[in-house]
Amino acid sequence: MFTLIAAVTFLLALATLLPALPVAHGFVRTCDFPRLQIAALAAALIPLTLLYAPLWPWGMALLAVQAVVLVLQLAICLRFTPLWKVQSIDYSGDPRGDNTIRILSSNVKMSNRDYGRLVALVTEMQPDIFVLMEIDGPWLEALAPLASDYPNRIEQPQDNAYGIVLYSRLPLSDTQLMFRLLEGVPSIATTVTLRDGAQVRLHAVHPEPPIPHMDTLGRDAEIVLVAKEVVDDPLPCIVTGDLNDVAWSRTTQRFQRLTGLLDPRVGRGFFNSFDARFWFMRWPLDHLFHDAAFRVIEVKRLPHIGSDHFPMWFALALTPVEASDEAPERPDQADRQEAREVVAEAQQLDREPIGTDWEK
């Protein structure tokens, strides 16, 4: 038992330290994901160590490592609890005003054929815009009942689990369907005109997932390229979708520093959207980041629709003045250099997107 406790403690310590490395590889980056689970395991090991390990010297050493792991993991996750000050300010005006926008974002899972649950959810929630990922031909046909209510549509169905659609009641313009890095991995950028006439820029993205034996260059570089577009855009921006990254990761935190966009999860909750099938293995993968001119009306995780992701709901209001209770730090030279290097490496990629055969 002592040997097992020592081995698990070592693995937890390694998984805690690895994400600090500036390495775009799945073996490193996937350690960002299960921080809550690592903290729970570290907490469970402490009484086991007291029971089964000789206290001096090895038991004390193990207890010290377990305590450090627990504290570090909880410190990283603490920002995403109500104990922390919110980053995105609450909106106190009319939640249905002409300056508001309601967005439903969902990775439907391509092999999930329970179309009716998603259609019923959209009908119930009545979003202004919904963004769906992993859309193929059958899924697109199943969305037909919604088409009349959403006349402005961008549709890119694909059979490789990277299909994406954006349906909108609000007018769209300057729309781009892009394949930023890899052929087969699309994303959408469009200008949305709110009911009061104000315009905002909306990015819908679904980069590659990280897996332990491959690089994460496609995901990390696409997030950087979106950040560059946000910085260069004069309009207030929203970025949403399944980013295949957690809210507290090195990659996502760098994205926030580069763009200054706010995360409504900070100070409100985890809103763990994946994996919907296993309550003990969940983390926040489906995101929305927004310009500081927006205020938050509502953020919530929606009911299960048969996918491995829960849908997410975001309601925002655009205001004349930018403000934040806890704005992201400004990027430093290391952030910019790391971002340039990631993009340069990713532009040399010559491979199929990760996971194109997972849903077949």
Side-chain angles (χ1 to χ4, degrees):
M1 179 60 80
F2 172 76
T3 302
L4 179 61
I5 292 171
V8 174
T9 299
F10 171 78
L11 291 175
L12 295 183
L14 182 64
T16 300
L17 296 174
L18 279 177
L21 298 176
V23 178
H25 196 279
F27 182 75
V28 173
R29 299 273 64 92
T30 53
C31 293
D32 264 322
F33 286 57
R35 291 195 180 275
L36 292 172
Q37 290 77 9
I38 291 171
L41 285 172
L45 283 176
I46 290 174
L48 291 176
T49 303
L50 291 170
L51 281 173
Y52 293 105
L55 277 183
W56 188 261
W58 300 112
M60 294 300 294
L62 289 176
L63 287 169
V65 173
Q66 293 156 9
V68 169
V69 167
L70 179 60
V71 169
L72 287 177
Q73 297 290 8
L74 291 180
I76 290 169
C77 297
L78 185 64
R79 296 176 65 243
F80 301 91
T81 73
L83 298 175
W84 204 267
K85 182 182 289 188
V86 297
Q87 191 171 82
S88 305
I89 296 174
D90 287 323
Y91 184 59
S92 57
D94 180 0
R96 291 281 179 173
D98 290 344
N99 63 328
T100 64
I101 181 170
R102 291 169 292 279
I103 298 173
L104 188 155
S105 175
S106 179
N107 181 325
V108 300
K109 188 172 177 63
M110 194 176 80
S111 61
N112 168 31
R113 297 307 181 189
D114 195 355
Y115 311 119
R117 293 168 76 175
L118 184 279
V119 172
L121 183 65
V122 172
T123 303
E124 176 191 351
M125 297 302 298
Q126 293 291 303
D128 297 314
I129 292 174
F130 65 86
V131 177
L132 306 179
M133 290 139 283
E134 296 200 19
I135 295 294
D136 61 357
W139 261 104
L140 191 62
E141 292 177 12
L143 297 176
L146 300 170
S148 60
D149 286 337
Y150 293 88
N152 306 301
R153 300 186 295 275
I154 306 159
E155 300 170 331
Q156 180 64 22
Q158 297 181 180
D159 63 0
N160 67 348
Y162 286 99
I164 189 169
V165 300
L166 187 155
Y167 281 32
S168 177
R169 286 192 167 110
L170 301 172
L172 305 179
S173 58
D174 301 324
T175 296
Q176 296 174 284
L177 179 70
M178 294 173 283
F179 297 83
R180 287 188 175 89
L181 288 167
L182 294 172
E183 192 65 33
V185 181
S187 58
I188 295 168
T190 188
T191 299
V192 183
T193 301
L194 304 184
R195 292 176 183 85
D196 65 358
Q199 292 189 318
V200 302
R201 192 72 169 162
L202 175 63
H203 295 266
V205 296
H206 180 211
E208 292 181 305
I211 54 176
H213 63 280
M214 290 188 69
D215 66 80
T216 59
L217 289 168
R219 182 200 69 176
D220 298 351
E222 181 162 354
I223 291 173
V224 169
L225 291 173
V226 173
K228 185 178 186 303
E229 292 173 25
V230 169
V231 170
D232 294 338
D233 201 318
L235 294 177
C237 291
I238 296 171
V239 177
T240 192
D242 171 10
L243 270 66
N244 275 311
D245 198 15
V246 284
W248 47 72
S249 77
R250 180 187 183 92
T251 309
T252 297
Q253 293 300 300
R254 182 180 64 210
F255 169 79
Q256 281 200 266
R257 290 194 297 272
L258 290 170
T259 62
L261 296 186
L262 309 182
D263 184 352
R265 280 187 166 100
V266 175
R268 289 186 173 85
F270 295 106
F271 300 97
N272 292 326
S273 60
F274 179 92
D275 190 311
R277 300 164 297 183
F278 309 111
W279 64 267
F280 55 88
M281 287 296 287
R282 287 182 181 167
W283 35 73
L285 283 194
D286 299 85
H287 303 277
L288 182 143
F289 300 97
H290 64 84
D291 188 276
F294 288 96
R295 306 289 186 270
V296 172
I297 299 169
E298 187 177 31
V299 179
K300 65 180 178 180
R301 189 180 74 185
L302 297 176
H304 189 216
I305 59 163
S307 172
D308 51 353
H309 291 248
F310 289 102
M312 289 296 300
W313 173 263
F314 304 94
L316 306 173
L318 184 64
T319 62
V321 180
E322 292 188 358
S324 173
D325 276 351
E326 191 191 71
E329 296 177 5
R330 297 184 64 83
D332 57 21
Q333 187 57 38
D335 285 324
R336 296 189 178 93
Q337 180 62 29
E338 190 176 323
R340 286 192 293 268
E341 290 173 356
V342 166
V343 171
E345 287 186 62
Q347 288 172 338
Q348 306 304 313
L349 289 174
D350 183 18
R351 58 166 170 75
E352 289 291 313
I354 293 170
T356 54
D357 59 346
W358 291 354
E359 295 295 302
K360 296 179 180 179

